[in-house]
Amino acid sequence: DSGVTQTPKHLITATGQRVTLRCSPRSGDLSVYWYQQSLDQGLQFLIQYYNGEERAKGNILERFSAQQFPDLHSELNLSSLELGDSALYFCASSPPSGTSGGDYNEQFFGPGTRLTVL
Amino acid sequence: AQTVTQSQPEMSVQEAETVTLSCTYDTSESDYYLFWYKQPPSRQMILVIRQEAYKQQNATENRFSVNFQKAAKSFSLKISDSQLGDAAMYFCAYRWGPSGNTPLVFGKGTRLSVIA
């Protein structure tokens, strides 16, 4: 157990709909990352938040948005869903800069949310 | 932009044998980290091993070791004494910068089968 939680585990919805994926990082971690893994593909970085602020953006579609709340949990909103959005969505967290010990350069992954768009 | 390439979509190994998975990367940065992640059928991402670019010594974790060739931008994973539980997708990943707070760039993965 990485300490990162994601809900829901599975989500089935129809094209055109909107969904929200939720992530709670490990206690003390300030960074949250969202990754998308399409069928039999590697993980693609979508977006990163650090202590409530957007830090980096990857291949995130305009139909997708995210935010990080004061309690550091994050939500990824996917709208106008298309069949091609079906994927496994991972959240990861990492400790703040200057953290001592071996964790400081590691990202800890949640179990993922499997989204199926029909 | 940084890229990570895994040229072997699939590999197989006999139980108890040794297998090497290849990874190359492209970056102009001098300060970065490299990782191998394992993704079993459960789909959980599990960190196998990591390497700091500034360290010349190759990282090892029990049966897992890497061959890090910085000039060649190569980062291969060697699994010794392969076990049935090693069967999984393996992803090579890169992250730049001295802090932990930068995104990972992943290769497309290598599917490893272990034959009993």
Side-chain angles (χ1 to χ4, degrees):
Chain A
D1 185 359
S2 66
V4 178
T5 61
Q6 289 188 248
T7 57
K9 286 185 179 173
H10 301 278
L11 199 49
I12 301 174
T13 188
T15 55
Q17 295 299 305
R18 172 189 170 94
V19 297
T20 297
L21 313 183
R22 182 187 170 104
C23 167
S24 293
R26 294 188 325 155
S27 177
D29 287 358
L30 300 182
S31 267
V32 169
Y33 310 79
W34 287 97
Y35 295 90
Q36 179 193 55
Q37 184 180 25
S38 300
L39 186 64
D40 289 333
Q41 293 292 313
L43 281 73
Q44 285 216 328
F45 167 66
L46 295 178
I47 197 164
Q48 176 197 359
Y49 279 81
Y50 183 88
N51 202 20
E53 300 289 327
E54 183 182 303
R55 172 67 68 93
K57 237 176 183 177
N59 299 318
I60 189 166
L61 299 172
E62 285 191 10
R63 300 183 285 109
F64 296 1
S65 64
Q67 59 185 126
Q68 187 179 28
F69 294 86
D71 67 352
L72 301 177
H73 91 271
S74 178
E75 293 181 356
L76 178 66
N77 300 297
L78 315 177
S79 62
S80 302
L81 285 167
E82 302 175 358
L83 296 178
D85 297 328
S86 295
L88 190 55
Y89 291 85
F90 284 103
C91 167
S93 72
S94 62
S97 302
T99 299
S100 61
D103 288 349
Y104 74 98
N105 62 11
E106 184 174 342
Q107 291 186 15
F108 297 85
F109 282 80
T113 292
R114 179 166 292 286
L115 173 66
T116 302
V117 182
L118 301 175
Chain B
Q2 297 93 353
T3 58
V4 176
T5 302
Q6 294 179 248
S7 59
Q8 306 152 315
E10 296 184 355
M11 293 279 287
S12 62
V13 62
Q14 294 279 349
E15 200 175 2
E17 296 296 308
T18 296
V19 65
T20 298
L21 308 184
S22 300
C23 172
T24 58
Y25 59 94
D26 187 23
T27 183
S28 58
E29 302 288 340
S30 59
D31 197 352
Y32 55 88
Y33 296 83
L34 297 163
F35 306 85
W36 279 97
Y37 281 88
K38 172 185 178 181
Q39 188 178 46
S42 68
R43 296 291 193 167
Q44 177 69 45
M45 294 295 289
I46 302 166
L47 179 65
V48 174
I49 199 166
R50 64 179 169 221
Q51 174 79 43
E52 293 87 342
Y54 64 86
K55 287 187 178 178
Q56 292 186 338
Q57 187 173 7
N58 290 324
T60 62
E61 288 286 343
N62 301 314
R63 298 183 294 107
F64 299 87
S65 62
V66 298
N67 183 4
F68 174 47
Q69 301 288 328
K70 191 171 184 179
K73 295 181 181 175
S74 170
F75 182 61
S76 60
L77 174 70
K78 186 172 81 171
I79 306 174
S80 304
D81 186 25
S82 297
Q83 300 175 359
L84 294 177
D86 295 333
M89 280 290 285
Y90 286 83
F91 293 101
C92 179
Y94 160 100
R95 183 184 63 72
W96 68 269
S99 80
N101 298 298
T102 53
L104 290 163
V105 177
F106 286 89
K108 290 190 180 299
T110 296
R111 184 178 302 280
L112 178 66
S113 301
V114 181
I115 303 165

